[in-house]
Amino acid sequence: MATTTASSSSSVHHMLHPLHHRTFVVPKLPSVLKCTPFRSSVRYSYSKVRPVSAVVATESETITQPQDSGEVDLFACPVCFEPLIRKGPPGFNLPAIYRSGFKCVKCNKSYSSKNLYLDLTLIADAKEYVEAQPTRTELFRSPLVSFLYERGWRQNFNRSGFPGPDEEFNMAQEYFKPAEGGTLVDVSCGSGLFSRKFAKSGAYSKVVALDFSENMLRQTYDFVKADDTVLNSNLALVRADVSRLPFPSGSIDAVHAGAALHCWPSPSNAIADVNRILRSGGVFVGTTFLRLTTPSILRPFQPRLSGNYNNLTEEEIEDLVKSCGFTNYTCKVQQAFIMFSAQKP
């Protein structure tokens, strides 16, 4: 997204979603589910829960629209994880968030959307300090790679067994059924390919498109502003570190990570923080590239052998996800493509 000013008009959506009277369900899956072939189906049994981010009003309660004043927001300070206070117009959409300011009352740090996305990295206001990132991280911060991502780059994934964005989205939506009406965070969103689909689906009260790459978020905005239905949907663009997600603990209903895990500097730190922000029963869904099983003697050299990417085996992904506290792990595999899902207990 270029540093032009976001459009300031358009109706502001209420922060309360019309689905708040619904009762939602979470699957009770066996504690261990091995990977299933890509075209196989997984059957669920459900128990009733209510998403944390959904609001239910009783006859004795009165729902009021937030005013243009300090309100506790969905976002949290990346330093201390305390909820940020937001001052600005109400609503959860790009125009409203762009015109809002955010502040941590504990750290006294301020955050804004001056670059069309809300920068919630630890060094959002640093002027001199620059932190070196792994090559794979810097690659996706490149303006050229960000521009090409949906213009040919992502389409090549089908050579490795990825079924294509539409089918991947439909598969993810099946896993996310228990989280409908809640808040979904699309981490490492890239150019917002799936963030826009989640926002347009109307299945979630809030959708956060989150990435560390400034240029990927600018591309996301360029795609969003061309579609009024997405521009005015309950969507926010946020820059953040996947290992230090700017949300209070237990506040998010669903997290999606599309073709991302292999790019993360520390998959274990990232998945552990995904677990932290999810509510009990929250759903984590991810896709990534698999690698063939590597002999144990060669594993210390795996980063060099795989071109600095963290390509893991099926067994390693399952072990990693479970070791970070998730349960009800299941996956679908096709060639080098894997989609996995798990729940926070």
Side-chain angles (χ1 to χ4, degrees):
M1 296 184 295
T3 55
T4 55
T5 303
S7 56
S8 60
S9 59
S10 74
S11 60
V12 178
H13 283 246
H14 291 295
M15 295 181 71
L16 302 176
H17 193 272
L19 292 176
H20 60 264
H21 286 292
R22 293 181 56 185
T23 297
F24 303 96
V25 290
V26 163
K28 286 185 175 178
L29 300 179
S31 58
V32 178
L33 281 176
K34 293 297 182 182
C35 298
T36 59
F38 174 70
R39 295 188 180 278
S40 69
S41 60
V42 178
R43 298 186 180 274
Y44 302 94
S45 60
Y46 295 96
S47 60
K48 296 181 180 180
V49 301
R50 296 176 187 273
V52 167
S53 54
V55 180
V56 179
T58 64
E59 293 180 358
S60 61
E61 293 176 332
T62 301
I63 299 177
T64 58
Q65 178 70 21
Q67 302 300 313
D68 187 4
S69 60
E71 299 284 344
V72 176
D73 202 74
L74 168 71
F75 304 114
C77 172
V79 176
C80 63
F81 297 129
E82 288 294 318
L84 296 178
I85 299 299
R86 171 182 171 184
K87 186 174 179 61
F92 195 90
N93 54 50
L94 294 184
I97 292 174
Y98 177 77
R99 301 200 305 273
S100 298
F102 299 82
K103 187 173 184 178
C104 176
V105 294
K106 184 174 181 179
C107 297
N108 205 34
K109 287 193 64 173
S110 296
Y111 303 90
S112 70
S113 298
K114 60 184 178 182
N115 291 310
L116 302 178
Y117 52 82
L118 180 60
D119 194 337
L120 294 178
T121 57
L122 288 170
I123 55 174
D125 58 350
K127 296 179 175 58
E128 300 296 332
Y129 177 74
V130 177
E131 197 162 68
Q133 299 293 331
T135 302
R136 57 184 174 273
T137 300
E138 291 303 314
L139 175 66
F140 290 97
R141 295 178 73 187
S142 159
L144 178 60
V145 172
S146 300
F147 179 82
L148 293 175
Y149 190 75
E150 281 191 50
R151 299 175 175 90
W153 183 293
R154 189 45 163 83
Q155 287 81 346
N156 287 323
F157 289 11
N158 62 359
R159 298 179 181 177
S160 298
F162 278 67
D166 290 339
E167 180 61 22
E168 291 170 51
F169 171 72
N170 291 334
M171 293 167 64
Q173 284 288 74
E174 286 298 313
Y175 285 120
F176 283 139
K177 280 187 180 297
E180 289 183 355
T183 297
L184 181 145
V185 179
D186 187 20
V187 299
S188 299
C189 68
S191 57
L193 177 62
F194 290 98
S195 303
R196 303 194 307 271
K197 289 178 179 292
F198 288 127
K200 290 187 73 169
S201 73
Y204 310 97
S205 58
K206 298 181 181 69
V207 174
V208 179
L210 183 148
D211 204 284
F212 187 76
S213 168
E214 306 92 324
N215 285 303
M216 281 295 191
L217 291 169
R218 292 180 182 123
Q219 284 296 317
T220 300
Y221 180 76
D222 285 344
F223 284 116
V224 167
K225 72 180 181 180
D227 188 339
D228 287 341
T229 60
V230 182
L231 182 64
N232 295 313
S233 65
N234 295 339
L235 174 69
L237 304 186
V238 175
R239 182 178 182 234
D241 184 341
V242 71
S243 294
R244 203 163 184 89
L245 296 167
F247 307 98
S249 299
S251 64
I252 303 300
D253 301 289
V255 173
H256 175 261
L261 185 148
H262 58 282
C263 297
W264 293 343
S266 173
S268 59
N269 285 344
I271 294 177
D273 210 44
V274 168
N275 183 296
R276 178 188 65 81
I277 68 171
L278 281 172
R279 63 171 174 84
S280 178
V283 183
F284 174 38
V285 173
T287 62
T288 189
F289 291 90
L290 291 172
R291 80 163 196 272
L292 298 177
T293 302
T294 302
S296 58
I297 193 173
L298 294 178
R299 286 179 186 173
F301 306 100
Q302 184 60 40
R304 288 184 228 170
L305 297 175
S306 60
N308 290 320
Y309 288 99
N310 283 321
N311 295 79
L312 304 177
T313 65
E314 294 178 34
E315 295 77 14
E316 288 173 329
I317 292 173
E318 180 176 357
D319 189 36
L320 170 61
V321 172
K322 289 181 178 179
S323 71
C324 288
F326 283 94
T327 60
N328 296 334
Y329 178 89
T330 186
C331 68
K332 297 180 181 180
V333 174
Q334 178 170 288
Q335 298 178 48
F337 164 81
I338 182 173
M339 174 175 281
F340 61 89
S341 174
Q343 279 187 295
K344 181 174 179 176

